[in-house]
Protein backbone atom coordinates (compact mmCIF):
# COMPACT_ATOMS: atom_id res chain seq x y z
CA UNK A 1 0.00 0.00 0.00
CA UNK A 2 1.36 3.41 -0.99
CA UNK A 3 2.33 5.73 1.83
CA UNK A 4 -0.17 8.56 2.17
CA UNK A 5 1.42 11.99 1.85
CA UNK A 6 0.95 14.43 4.74
CA UNK A 7 -1.44 17.31 4.15
CA UNK A 8 0.79 20.37 4.40
CA UNK A 9 -2.10 22.64 3.40
CA UNK A 10 -3.47 22.37 6.94
CA UNK A 11 -0.62 24.54 8.22
CA UNK A 12 -1.35 28.24 8.59
CA UNK A 13 2.01 29.49 9.86
CA UNK A 14 4.26 27.24 7.73
CA UNK A 15 4.16 27.12 3.94
CA UNK A 16 5.35 24.03 2.07
CA UNK A 17 6.20 23.25 -1.53
CA UNK A 18 8.42 20.81 -3.39
CA UNK A 19 11.44 21.49 -5.59
CA UNK A 20 11.93 18.06 -7.07
CA UNK A 21 12.77 15.74 -4.14
CA UNK A 22 13.33 18.72 -1.82
CA UNK A 23 10.60 19.81 0.61
CA UNK A 24 10.84 23.57 1.14
CA UNK A 25 9.30 24.80 4.41
CA UNK A 26 8.87 28.53 5.09
CA UNK A 27 7.95 29.95 8.49
CA UNK A 28 5.11 32.32 7.65
CA UNK A 29 4.08 34.98 10.13
CA UNK A 30 5.57 37.89 8.15
CA UNK A 31 3.70 40.71 9.90
CA UNK A 32 5.60 39.75 13.06
CA UNK A 33 8.87 38.74 11.34
CA UNK A 34 7.82 35.10 11.69
CA UNK A 35 7.66 35.39 15.49
CA UNK A 36 6.48 32.26 17.27
CA UNK A 37 2.92 32.72 18.46
CA UNK A 38 0.74 29.99 19.96
CA UNK A 39 -0.28 28.64 16.56
CA UNK A 40 3.23 28.54 15.09
CA UNK A 41 4.52 26.86 18.26
CA UNK A 42 1.88 24.14 17.85
CA UNK A 43 2.63 23.73 14.15
CA UNK A 44 6.38 23.48 14.77
CA UNK A 45 5.67 20.53 17.06
CA UNK A 46 4.25 18.52 14.13
CA UNK A 47 5.88 19.85 10.94
CA UNK A 48 9.07 17.78 11.23
CA UNK A 49 7.01 14.64 11.84
CA UNK A 50 5.10 15.34 8.65
CA UNK A 51 8.35 16.11 6.82
CA UNK A 52 9.69 12.72 7.94
CA UNK A 53 6.56 10.99 6.58
CA UNK A 54 6.55 12.86 3.27
CA UNK A 55 7.17 10.26 0.51
CA UNK A 56 7.83 12.99 -2.08
CA UNK A 57 11.04 14.31 -0.53
CA UNK A 58 14.53 13.19 0.46
CA UNK A 59 15.87 16.54 1.71
CA UNK A 60 14.23 19.39 3.65
CA UNK A 61 15.07 23.10 3.26
CA UNK A 62 13.86 25.41 6.04
CA UNK A 63 13.60 29.17 5.63
CA UNK A 64 11.52 32.16 6.71
CA UNK A 65 9.12 34.21 4.64
CA UNK A 66 10.18 37.83 4.09
CA UNK A 67 13.20 39.64 5.58
CA UNK A 68 13.48 37.53 8.77
CA UNK A 69 13.99 33.88 9.57
CA UNK A 70 12.25 34.08 12.96
CA UNK A 71 12.11 36.94 15.47
CA UNK A 72 11.63 34.62 18.45
CA UNK A 73 8.67 34.37 20.78
CA UNK A 74 5.73 36.71 20.22
CA UNK A 75 5.79 39.00 23.26
CA UNK A 76 2.10 39.84 22.88
CA UNK A 77 1.40 36.11 23.27
CA UNK A 78 3.61 36.08 26.38
CA UNK A 79 1.77 39.09 27.80
CA UNK A 80 -1.63 37.50 27.15
CA UNK A 81 -0.39 34.26 28.75
CA UNK A 82 0.63 35.78 32.08
CA UNK A 83 -2.39 38.11 32.16
CA UNK A 84 -4.70 35.11 31.87
CA UNK A 85 -2.83 33.02 34.42
CA UNK A 86 -0.93 30.81 31.98
CA UNK A 87 2.63 29.58 32.38
CA UNK A 88 4.05 29.96 28.89
CA UNK A 89 4.24 27.61 25.92
CA UNK A 90 3.11 24.01 26.26
CA UNK A 91 6.21 22.13 27.49
CA UNK A 92 5.19 18.95 25.66
CA UNK A 93 5.00 20.91 22.40
CA UNK A 94 8.42 22.36 23.16
CA UNK A 95 9.88 18.88 23.62
CA UNK A 96 8.23 17.58 20.44
CA UNK A 97 9.74 20.44 18.42
CA UNK A 98 13.28 19.53 19.47
CA UNK A 99 13.00 15.76 19.36
CA UNK A 100 11.07 15.66 16.07
CA UNK A 101 13.74 17.92 14.57
CA UNK A 102 16.59 15.72 15.83
CA UNK A 103 14.74 12.52 14.84
CA UNK A 104 14.24 13.70 11.25
CA UNK A 105 16.39 11.35 9.17
CA UNK A 106 16.31 13.48 6.02
CA UNK A 107 19.06 16.09 5.69
CA UNK A 108 17.75 19.45 6.94
CA UNK A 109 19.23 22.64 5.48
CA UNK A 110 18.59 26.07 7.00
CA UNK A 111 18.49 29.22 4.88
CA UNK A 112 18.61 32.18 7.28
CA UNK A 113 17.93 35.76 6.27
CA UNK A 114 17.78 38.50 8.92
CA UNK A 115 17.26 37.64 12.59
CA UNK A 116 17.07 34.11 13.96
CA UNK A 117 16.13 34.71 17.58
CA UNK A 118 15.26 32.55 20.58
CA UNK A 119 13.47 29.40 19.46
CA UNK A 120 14.11 30.55 15.90
CA UNK A 121 17.86 30.44 16.55
CA UNK A 122 17.57 27.03 18.21
CA UNK A 123 15.72 25.57 15.24
CA UNK A 124 18.16 27.06 12.73
CA UNK A 125 21.23 25.91 14.65
CA UNK A 126 19.88 22.37 15.02
CA UNK A 127 19.65 22.02 11.26
CA UNK A 128 22.37 19.95 9.61
CA UNK A 129 23.88 22.66 7.39
CA UNK A 130 23.18 26.37 7.87
CA UNK A 131 23.43 29.01 5.16
CA UNK A 132 23.02 32.65 6.19
CA UNK A 133 22.86 35.95 4.39
CA UNK A 134 25.31 38.70 5.31
CA UNK A 135 22.52 40.51 7.20
CA UNK A 136 21.62 37.48 9.34
CA UNK A 137 22.15 37.45 13.08
CA UNK A 138 21.67 34.75 15.68
CA UNK A 139 20.59 35.40 19.26
CA UNK A 140 19.06 33.57 22.19
CA UNK A 141 17.82 36.47 24.34
CA UNK A 142 15.59 34.51 26.72
CA UNK A 143 17.33 36.14 29.69
CA UNK A 144 16.45 39.59 28.34
CA UNK A 145 12.77 38.78 28.85
CA UNK A 146 13.44 37.21 32.24
CA UNK A 147 13.21 33.54 31.28
CA UNK A 148 15.62 30.62 31.02
CA UNK A 149 17.01 29.58 27.63
CA UNK A 150 15.14 26.32 28.04
CA UNK A 151 13.86 25.37 24.60
CA UNK A 152 17.11 23.97 23.21
CA UNK A 153 19.70 26.75 23.30
CA UNK A 154 21.49 25.15 26.26
CA UNK A 155 21.88 22.01 24.15
CA UNK A 156 23.03 23.26 20.76
CA UNK A 157 25.07 26.42 21.37
CA UNK A 158 27.84 24.72 23.43
CA UNK A 159 28.15 21.95 20.85
CA UNK A 160 28.72 24.42 18.02
CA UNK A 161 30.88 27.17 19.52
CA UNK A 162 32.12 25.74 22.84
CA UNK A 163 30.98 26.28 26.40
CA UNK A 164 32.75 29.59 27.08
CA UNK A 165 31.28 31.39 24.07
CA UNK A 166 27.90 29.69 24.50
CA UNK A 167 27.55 30.74 28.13
CA UNK A 168 28.51 34.31 27.29
CA UNK A 169 25.87 34.58 24.55
CA UNK A 170 23.18 32.69 26.47
CA UNK A 171 23.69 34.71 29.68
CA UNK A 172 23.68 38.08 27.88
CA UNK A 173 21.35 37.40 24.96
CA UNK A 174 23.74 39.34 22.72
CA UNK A 175 23.27 38.81 18.96
CA UNK A 176 25.95 37.17 16.83
CA UNK A 177 26.32 38.67 13.33
CA UNK A 178 26.52 36.17 10.48
CA UNK A 179 30.25 36.63 9.82
CA UNK A 180 31.09 36.08 13.49
CA UNK A 181 28.69 33.12 13.66
CA UNK A 182 30.58 31.51 10.79
CA UNK A 183 33.96 32.29 12.39
CA UNK A 184 33.09 30.62 15.71
CA UNK A 185 31.42 27.61 14.12
CA UNK A 186 27.76 28.36 14.79
CA UNK A 187 26.90 28.16 11.09
CA UNK A 188 28.42 26.80 7.87
CA UNK A 189 28.27 29.49 5.19
CA UNK A 190 27.67 33.23 4.83
CA UNK A 191 26.68 34.49 1.38
CA UNK A 192 25.42 37.73 -0.14
CA UNK A 193 21.74 38.28 0.54
CA UNK A 194 20.80 38.06 -3.12
CA UNK A 195 22.64 34.73 -3.42
CA UNK A 196 21.19 33.07 -0.31
CA UNK A 197 18.17 31.29 -1.75
CA UNK A 198 20.08 29.79 -4.66
CA UNK A 199 23.06 28.79 -2.52
CA UNK A 200 20.95 26.89 0.02
CA UNK A 201 18.77 25.30 -2.65
CA UNK A 202 21.81 24.31 -4.71
CA UNK A 203 23.31 22.51 -1.72
CA UNK A 204 19.98 20.78 -1.02
CA UNK A 205 19.88 19.63 -4.65
CA UNK A 206 23.43 18.32 -4.36
CA UNK A 207 22.42 16.14 -1.42
CA UNK A 208 19.21 15.02 -3.14
CA UNK A 209 21.29 13.77 -6.09
CA UNK A 210 23.69 11.90 -3.81
CA UNK A 211 23.53 8.42 -2.29
CA UNK A 212 20.61 9.48 -0.12
CA UNK A 213 20.50 6.38 2.09
CA UNK A 214 24.17 6.76 2.97
CA UNK A 215 23.75 10.52 3.51
CA UNK A 216 20.63 10.04 5.62
CA UNK A 217 22.11 7.45 7.96
CA UNK A 218 25.37 9.34 8.30
CA UNK A 219 23.26 12.25 9.60
CA UNK A 220 21.38 9.87 11.91
CA UNK A 221 24.66 8.54 13.32
CA UNK A 222 26.03 12.02 13.99
CA UNK A 223 22.78 13.09 15.67
CA UNK A 224 22.91 10.26 18.23
CA UNK A 225 25.12 12.36 20.49
CA UNK A 226 22.85 15.41 20.18
CA UNK A 227 19.79 13.30 21.01
CA UNK A 228 21.52 11.90 24.09
CA UNK A 229 22.28 15.45 25.21
CA UNK A 230 18.71 16.53 24.53
CA UNK A 231 17.37 13.66 26.63
CA UNK A 232 19.67 14.60 29.51
CA UNK A 233 19.13 18.39 29.38
CA UNK A 234 15.76 19.31 27.90
CA UNK A 235 13.41 18.27 30.72
CA UNK A 236 15.44 20.30 33.22
CA UNK A 237 15.89 23.36 31.02
CA UNK A 238 12.21 23.47 30.06
CA UNK A 239 11.21 23.09 33.72
CA UNK A 240 13.41 26.04 34.67
CA UNK A 241 11.97 28.03 31.78
CA UNK A 242 8.39 27.31 32.88
CA UNK A 243 9.28 28.48 36.40
CA UNK A 244 10.65 31.79 35.15
CA UNK A 245 7.54 32.48 33.07
CA UNK A 246 5.82 33.08 36.43
CA UNK A 247 8.38 35.61 37.75
CA UNK A 248 7.97 39.34 38.22
CA UNK A 249 11.11 39.90 36.15
CA UNK A 250 9.54 38.20 33.14
CA UNK A 251 6.37 40.30 33.41
CA UNK A 252 8.44 43.47 33.77
CA UNK A 253 10.61 42.56 30.76
CA UNK A 254 7.58 41.98 28.52
CA UNK A 255 5.88 45.20 29.66
CA UNK A 256 9.08 47.17 29.17
CA UNK A 257 9.64 45.83 25.67
CA UNK A 258 6.08 46.57 24.56
CA UNK A 259 6.30 50.05 26.17
CA UNK A 260 9.70 50.64 24.50
CA UNK A 261 11.62 51.32 27.71
CA UNK A 262 14.43 49.68 29.66
CA UNK A 263 13.28 46.98 32.12
CA UNK A 264 13.85 47.34 35.85
CA UNK A 265 14.66 43.88 37.15
CA UNK A 266 14.30 43.01 40.84
CA UNK A 267 15.42 39.39 40.88
CA UNK A 268 11.93 38.13 41.70
Amino acid sequence: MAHEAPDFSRYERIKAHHEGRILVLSLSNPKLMNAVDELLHRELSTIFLDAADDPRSDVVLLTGEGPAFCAGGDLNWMKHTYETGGRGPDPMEAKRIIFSLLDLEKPLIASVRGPAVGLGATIALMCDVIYASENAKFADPHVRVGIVAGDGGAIIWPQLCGYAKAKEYLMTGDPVPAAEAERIGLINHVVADEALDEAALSFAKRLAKGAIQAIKYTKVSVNIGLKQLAHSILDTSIAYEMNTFATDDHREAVRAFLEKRAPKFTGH
Side-chain angles (χ1 to χ4, degrees):
M1 185 174 66
H3 188 72
E4 184 176 351
D7 179 15
F8 291 107
S9 67
R10 69 187 178 89
Y11 288 90
E12 298 179 39
R13 292 283 192 265
I14 303 173
K15 294 181 178 178
H17 72 276
H18 290 83
E19 298 271 356
R21 296 291 298 172
I22 300 164
L23 172 64
V24 181
L25 301 175
S26 298
L27 306 181
S28 182
N29 192 7
K31 291 182 179 179
L32 292 176
M33 300 178 69
N34 303 323
V36 180
D37 59 9
E38 185 173 15
L39 178 56
L40 180 52
H41 196 267
R42 185 176 308 120
E43 292 186 347
L44 284 168
S45 73
T46 60
I47 189 63
F48 300 112
L49 298 172
D50 281 342
D53 286 342
D54 177 27
R56 298 165 294 180
S57 63
D58 295 313
V59 178
V60 182
L61 176 61
L62 180 65
T63 188
E65 184 178 353
F69 181 79
C70 175
D74 178 5
L75 291 181
N76 285 296
W77 175 34
M78 294 183 191
K79 182 173 183 286
H80 174 76
T81 298
Y82 73 67
E83 286 179 343
T84 56
R87 289 182 60 84
D90 184 327
M92 296 310 296
E93 285 181 2
K95 288 179 64 176
R96 280 198 300 272
I97 292 170
I98 299 305
F99 284 116
S100 64
L101 196 161
L102 292 176
D103 284 337
L104 179 64
E105 295 181 349
K106 298 173 182 178
L108 177 59
I109 314 305
S111 178
V112 179
R113 174 175 282 110
V117 178
L119 180 58
T122 295
I123 290 171
L125 296 178
M126 284 194 173
C127 291
D128 303 311
V129 177
I130 305 145
Y131 280 79
S133 70
E134 293 170 325
N135 69 359
K137 59 182 179 180
F138 299 82
D140 195 325
H142 279 72
V143 294
R144 294 193 177 188
V145 289
I147 53 178
V148 169
D151 56 18
I155 299 166
I156 194 62
W157 283 69
Q159 302 312 305
L160 298 177
C161 67
Y163 279 90
K165 287 285 188 184
K167 285 187 283 188
E168 176 183 346
Y169 287 121
L170 293 175
M171 291 191 298
T172 62
D174 288 346
V176 187
E180 177 68 2
E182 182 185 36
R183 188 188 73 80
I184 66 176
L186 271 180
I187 64 174
N188 299 79
H189 303 284
V190 178
V191 298
D193 185 67
E194 62 272 17
L196 175 65
D197 297 333
E198 179 56 34
L201 182 59
S202 178
F203 184 79
K205 288 178 178 178
R206 175 185 173 186
L207 293 185
K209 291 176 181 177
I212 197 63
Q213 292 297 319
I215 292 170
K216 180 191 305 183
Y217 293 118
T218 295
K219 174 232 172 102
V220 169
S221 299
V222 174
N223 264 16
I224 290 172
L226 279 177
K227 288 165 67 174
Q228 290 173 335
L229 280 172
H231 279 291
S232 65
I233 293 172
L234 200 58
D235 281 333
T236 299
S237 63
I238 288 177
Y240 279 128
E241 183 177 10
M242 293 303 106
N243 283 342
T244 49
F245 269 112
T247 62
D248 292 338
D249 276 350
H250 170 59
R251 297 185 180 95
E252 164 61 11
V254 172
R255 284 194 298 263
F257 184 88
L258 295 175
E259 295 168 6
K260 295 180 171 43
R261 60 175 175 82
K264 297 179 181 179
F265 294 123
T266 63
H268 296 96

